[in-house]
Amino acid sequence: MVLFSFFFSFIIVSTTTICPPPVCSSPLYPTDKTFIVQVHHDAVKPSVFPTHAHWYASSFSSSAAAGTDRIIHTYSTVFNGFSARLSPSEADSLRALPHVTALIPEQIRHVHTTRSPEFLGLRSSDSAGLLKESDFGSDLVIGIIDTGIWPEHQSFDDRELGPVPSKWKGECIAGDNFPSTSCNRKLIGARFFCAGYEASNSRMNQSTEFRSPRDSDGHGTHTASIAAGRYVFPASTLGYARGVAAGMAPKARLAAYKVCWNSACYDSDILAAFDSAVADSVDVISLSIGGNVVPYYLDSIAIGAFGAMQSGVFVSASAGNNGPGGLTVNNVAPWMTTVGAGTIDRDFPADVKLGNGKILSGVSIYGGPGLIPGRMYPLVYAGSQGGDGYSATLCLDGSLDPTLVKGKIVLCDRGINSRAAKGEVVKKAGGVGMILANGVFDGEGLVAECHVLPAASVGAIAGEEIRRYVEAAAVATTGKYKSPLSPPTATIIFKGTRVGVRPAPVVASFSARGPNPESPEVLKPDLIAPGVDILAAWPDNVGPSGIPSDKRKTEFNILSGTSMACPHVSGLAALLKAAHPEWSPAAIRSALMTTAYTLDNRGEAMLDESSGNTSTVMDYGAGHVHPQLAMDPGLVYDLTTYDYVDFLCNSNYTASNIRVVARKNADCRGARRAGHSGNLNYPSLAVTFQQYGGGKSKLSAHFIRTVTNVGEAEAVYKVSVRPPSGVVVAVEPERLSFRRVGQRLSFLVRVTSHEVKLSPGISTVRSGSMTWSDGKHAVTSPLVVTLQQPL
């Protein structure tokens, strides 16, 4: 589970102050905090000062040379400015300077495969297809902004790769246990950014972390190999998921940008990584990091991603792991591709057998000494029988009474601490095994873990059944009565690896859901990709459970999260860019979205893992990624910087707000005359109707879209519409006749609905789709209508 928190430092960006004095001088902003300062590009005076840092330092110090010691980072590619540690009074002084353009609160962010290539239809043996067309992504560079990398791993071997691409401008920065020779023709660049982290937390503890690009967590190594790991055989985790490990773009080059330290990632460091990655000439940026949604001009990730998009760099970002509730998606800027998570057709079953004969399905990855076959063990739910009450139900550290749990299997509820940490607590207290039960909010979604003792995870329904069994069968400890039933017992039966699972894909329970909190007219997440139980590379010095006491070693590990789904799309974007070098980031996203699918391997609508019900567009966006179809989408919805600026204008962003994001002045008069924010040329269409009438009013909206022909030179596309329930959809014209590749044609979509009876504050979402087809290609867009009754 990813937990989000805020740390307030600042990005200074125009003469209009985004952070007003009453806020910036409040107790939320104590003395000496980190600020990120944006300045006008044409204000830099290199002829007067030796470096950008000297000139920036002159803004708050009478001695520029002395002031450079206080500079944390300077930015010049996706952002103009610097970060520094300042007092509130210094921040106030900076705000008054004519070349300073805004103050932006900085957030703390947190980090949010063997079979997934095959599941996606990427087979190295195919004589044609995306891998062959793109030469496996060779010479494309993917920048991974994460926790660093373990360079010696087989997945990053440079055998049979050609020279480093001539366009590459990056470096391999040496550091703790990371000589500059750590890079090769596969891992062509590595940098680390810790100044922002240390400015707020003092110097890092180098006994537990590497002051270098080396990964001491595992997350960055895992995501990098998903995106572009080489073929490795054999690969497995503790004997599970045996097979060939491979990334999406096996020949693509990698550049690692380490920004996360002890699971915390600071905006000032993330922005520096964006700045360096674009200057280094990466083609794709993969970002499995998230935080709370804020307006784009206050969001350093959105600002960095905009600058990357301006330079033609595709940015893929994880949707977050706060599902299955609505409005949980983050990284929602329309110039980023936001990726949710789905299952693949492989799992790791582990059955829980109760003393009453019931067998309940669960999952687990456990490779150590197992429970004795055929033996039933005493079962206890610690929170209901002594211990530390509520803390004991969650198996928090120090909460279990060893006299109560020794020699027993302990039932633990999910929540607060990590799943693997709960097993460690049980083991320390003398328990022989653990059953980890979902709560009602978690639903039936299961994540397999590399536990440190025999353990299995079960869904909410099974968890409640086990609790009832324990309550009914246990001998009461109060002395008031005795149960006539036998004491509760259980065992766990591990079944290894199972493939060919149906249904698949299923939307992961944890995957964050829409609607988009910042821009409801832009459907987010954009799509989903494999993100459950994904096997990928792992560092030598980190145990597979990720907890410090786990000293086991594994070359590969199995993890779940939208963090794993994001690099799948990053690698696929590199393949598409290699096959179609002329495509923009928006065209690549369009190809992935309009060819995505919404049916599982049974041919039925994809399910929601949390409930077992049919999933919706708010769960999966356009659908599950289909790489082979994306290579030849027929038509694409393209976008430029100017389109995004018009979108910001029509989203009621002020000129100064837009200047923070786009680093240029925007005249919004033309954009607002031309249309509304829903006219952004996005591959999905979404509208929210506010119901102010008496229940009978007619509601209507229109969308203008433009498609570019990237298929056959001469083609005629006809539209078909599956309208949302109760909604009338008309498309004009109904035919698009193309005469050449690259030709652009526009069409109008009118959406009409009637008000429905809703309680105040309640909304209802209705979805359909629109497909353009020439008989060979099917270019599909989700169409979403939300009816909302204001309070």
Side-chain angles (χ1 to χ4, degrees), residues 422-446:
K422 294 177 189 292
E424 182 185 38
V425 171
V426 172
K427 186 176 182 180
K428 283 181 177 178
V432 298
M434 177 181 69
I435 301 169
L436 182 58
N438 282 359
V440 173
F441 183 76
D442 302 310
E444 301 307 305
L446 297 178

Side-chain angles (χ1 to χ4, degrees), residues 629 632-635 709-712 715 717 771-779:
L629 290 181
D632 182 20
L635 306 174
N709 181 22
V710 295
E712 281 71 31
Y717 283 82
T771 301
W772 290 98
S773 177
D774 64 348
K776 176 182 177 182
H777 305 94
V779 187

Side-chain angles (χ1 to χ4, degrees), residues 49-58 60-61 63-74 82-84:
F49 297 97
T51 66
H52 281 68
H54 280 81
W55 185 81
Y56 293 149
S58 72
F60 58 88
S61 171
S63 170
T68 57
D69 292 339
R70 302 174 64 191
I71 298 290
I72 295 172
H73 294 295
T74 61
F82 65 95
S83 50

Side-chain angles (χ1 to χ4, degrees), residues 1 216-219 222 237-238 263 364-368 417-425 427-428 434 447-455 538-560:
M1 178 179 293
S216 59
D217 177 89
H219 191 272
H222 202 268
T237 299
L238 308 179
S263 298
S364 182
I365 302 168
Y366 177 69
N417 56 343
S418 75
R419 294 178 286 267
K422 294 177 189 292
E424 182 185 38
V425 171
K427 186 176 182 180
K428 283 181 177 178
M434 177 181 69
V447 173
E449 293 280 348
C450 293
H451 291 289
V452 295
L453 83 171
W538 197 246
D540 290 346
N541 69 329
V542 182
S545 68
I547 56 180
S549 64
D550 186 1
K551 302 305 180 184
R552 296 173 295 176
K553 291 184 180 295
T554 181
E555 194 175 6
F556 293 87
N557 200 8
I558 296 170
L559 299 181
S560 298

Side-chain angles (χ1 to χ4, degrees), residues 122-143:
L122 296 175
R123 297 178 178 86
S124 60
S125 58
D126 289 348
S127 59
L130 185 54
L131 284 175
K132 294 291 185 183
E133 252 338 277
S134 63
D135 189 24
F136 299 80
S138 181
D139 291 349
L140 270 289
V141 184
I142 302 175

Side-chain angles (χ1 to χ4, degrees), residues 216-235:
S216 59
D217 177 89
H219 191 272
T221 299
H222 202 268
T223 56
S225 69
I226 293 172
R230 301 300 301 271
Y231 290 100
V232 179
F233 178 83

